[in-house]
Amino acid sequence: MLTTMDDRNEIIKESKLSICALGGVHEIGKNMYVVQYGEDIVVIDGGSKFPDESLLGIDLIIPDITYLLQNKDKVVGMIVTHGHEDHIGGIPYLLKQLNMRIFGTAFTLGLIKGKLKENGLLDQSELVPIDGDSRIELGSMSATFFRTNHSIPDCLGIAFETPEGTVVHTGDFKFDLTPVGGQYPDIHKMAALGERGVLALLSESTNAERPGFTPSERVVGKHIEEAIVSAKNRVFISTFASNVHRLQQVVDAAYLTNRKIALLGRSMVNVVAVATELGHLHIPEGMLVDAAAISQVERSRMAVLCTGSQGESMAALARLASASYRGAEILPGDTVILASSPIPGNERAVSSVVDNLFQLGAHVIYGSGASTGLHVSGHASQEELKLMLTLMKPTYFIPIHGEYRMLLQHKHLAESVGVKSDNIFIVNNGDVVDIQGQVAVQTRKVPVGNTLVDGFGIGDVGHIVLRDRKHLAEDGIIVIVVTLSKADGSILSGPDIISRGFVYIREAEGLIEAANKLALAAIENLHEDGKPVKWTMMKQKVKEAVGKFVYAQTKRRPMILPIVIEV
């Protein structure tokens, strides 16, 4: 039956506004949020995060979109606030499961296009460009936008106009009043939203524990220039590839000292290409040289921009530090600048890379941004978070994008500027805040979790597979191969034991021989009554006999895999 306009208006009148995080609260990374009114769902961001050491073999973690798949007919589109990996990294994998329109600024879409092209999805994806002056209709809702500052160009906050009221999502932001790229925060538009009335505000919390204001990106330029001017030989600068403003300041300093620029690392090359094409990065003609030409340029006239500031093992800087980067090397007397601060959890990897650089004889400038002046955060500190709250004057407040202690501190900041404590919701991923008749409650949840990406597999690696990988990594494996006669079940060959990651067989021949005998005895015992023996029973008995013996001898529990072959 067709729905008439009167029917739709009646549905809207009875509908409620719902806000939910599918990722991005109580964590840093894989940001995804949902704003729903009635039959219309809008998704905000589709990020990813990298796995920790416990997730063996996993390449990426993305949000679980079970709720969106259950309601795919209601999804009217995704709006992407900016182009960082924790906001766009999951989009190719999400689009393989759920096709939807993607709205984003030119630079953000430029980065997304590269990912979609790699995954063969570009031709079948609908990418819609927006800017700070756009207005888009999303079913029963509409969205307008306001410009913000961050450590990447073309960032937007979102204002959803719904029948229930206005919902604002800030995206990642800070208030940089002297931005390098000339993209000033649209404070007037933010204030105008607050004057008209904001029902609910979702604001990022990354630096909620940090007092004061976050310094302008512009202050970094002077320190980069000083470091490059004082360098006697080749200069290697490692920073986040997405921080185009930082890249521009490196280019400016290199130009001042008459140096050529080369790029190392795929993400660095990709971002520079997109930023240059869209006019966010300006490199003088003839200054950029191919990576293969690094060794051909006089050392005092060469600057190299490379990835790997977080110590990633396969990134350019780590390979340079281990002298394994083909076609480029760091020589004694070269200067290496880490224009970033380690993300929590990456300190050990960064420290290892720095140590290797010192062993190569390089002069290394590293450390937190405060100590070197070569990095400032792209996130708002406490005074800026309070400024955003004061501009928006929300009735309800939901802190997002941060671990629990950050969300809690952001709540205290909101209370200090007049937001009622009862109107502040610290939620978990999956918690739904429902608003109807201007009254907000949090009483229900939707399915959420982590979807693990392993190669081409999306979500096909679960707890059992990870448990087995951990078992293999810690204790190794013993494979016991036995060949039986199909006619009478007699042993034709074996048992033969193969060990990997458990013991070196040549140095443990006695142990392996004893295990062989136990496996043979277990098989022969099953044949004593003359009845046919099931494979499953044979495997179980062999596994038990060898497992008990190995543990008694080594206090280790390798994975034991019996293989029975009938011929």
Side-chain angles (χ1 to χ4, degrees), residues 163-359:
E164 192 70 43
T166 299
V167 177
V168 173
H169 184 293
T170 66
D172 289 2
F173 75 96
K174 68 178 185 179
F175 286 100
D176 190 341
L177 303 181
T178 56
V180 172
Q183 183 173 332
Y184 294 87
D186 201 337
I187 298 175
H188 294 292
K189 189 174 281 189
M190 298 179 206
L193 283 168
E195 284 301 312
R196 290 197 299 271
V198 171
L199 177 64
L201 172 67
L202 287 73
S203 182
E204 73 129 321
S205 310
T206 310
N207 278 354
E209 298 174 296
R210 189 176 295 181
F213 288 85
T214 301
S216 169
E217 177 68 29
R218 193 171 292 275
V219 305
V220 175
K222 184 193 303 181
H223 295 282
I224 289 176
E225 183 180 310
E226 290 173 353
I228 293 179
V229 167
S230 62
K232 298 292 188 290
N233 294 312
R234 198 178 288 145
V235 179
F236 293 81
I237 307 102
S238 184
T239 188
F240 295 108
S242 60
N243 194 336
V244 175
H245 306 140
R246 186 81 41 85
L247 304 186
Q248 184 65 65
Q249 293 184 114
V250 171
V251 169
D252 293 344
Y255 182 75
L256 185 68
T257 56
N258 195 28
R259 291 177 183 266
K260 300 288 187 181
I261 287 278
L263 309 174
L264 297 182
R266 188 176 66 166
S267 61
M268 185 68 73
V269 172
N270 292 344
V271 170
V272 167
V274 174
T276 303
E277 180 184 345
L278 296 174
H280 292 292
L281 182 64
H282 304 279
I283 302 177
E285 190 174 348
M287 187 179 180
L288 185 63
V289 299
D290 191 82
I294 290 175
S295 60
Q296 300 169 17
V297 177
E298 185 183 341
R299 287 176 66 192
S300 61
R301 292 289 175 261
M302 189 73 242
V304 180
L305 269 167
C306 60
T307 57
S309 63
Q310 295 304 305
E312 304 96 316
S313 61
M314 295 306 295
L317 185 63
R319 290 160 61 197
L320 287 166
S322 61
S324 61
Y325 198 103
R326 197 170 173 181
E329 60 180 336
I330 294 174
L331 300 174
D334 287 346
T335 297
V336 181
I337 301 168
L338 274 69
S340 63
S341 293
I343 294 171
N346 292 346
E347 294 90 350
R348 184 184 299 176
V350 173
S351 177
S352 176
V353 169
V354 169
D355 197 57
N356 289 342
L357 290 169
F358 275 115
Q359 290 186 47

Side-chain angles (χ1 to χ4, degrees), residues 39-43 67-69 71-78 98-101:
E39 299 297 301
D40 303 309
I41 293 175
V42 181
V43 185
Y67 178 73
L68 299 181
L69 294 175
N71 296 274
K72 60 183 178 181
D73 294 337
K74 299 178 183 179
V75 178
V76 294
M78 171 187 283
L98 177 65
N99 193 20
M100 53 186 162
R101 292 181 296 169

Side-chain angles (χ1 to χ4, degrees), residues 87 98 133 417:
H87 295 259
L98 177 65
D133 298 320
V417 296

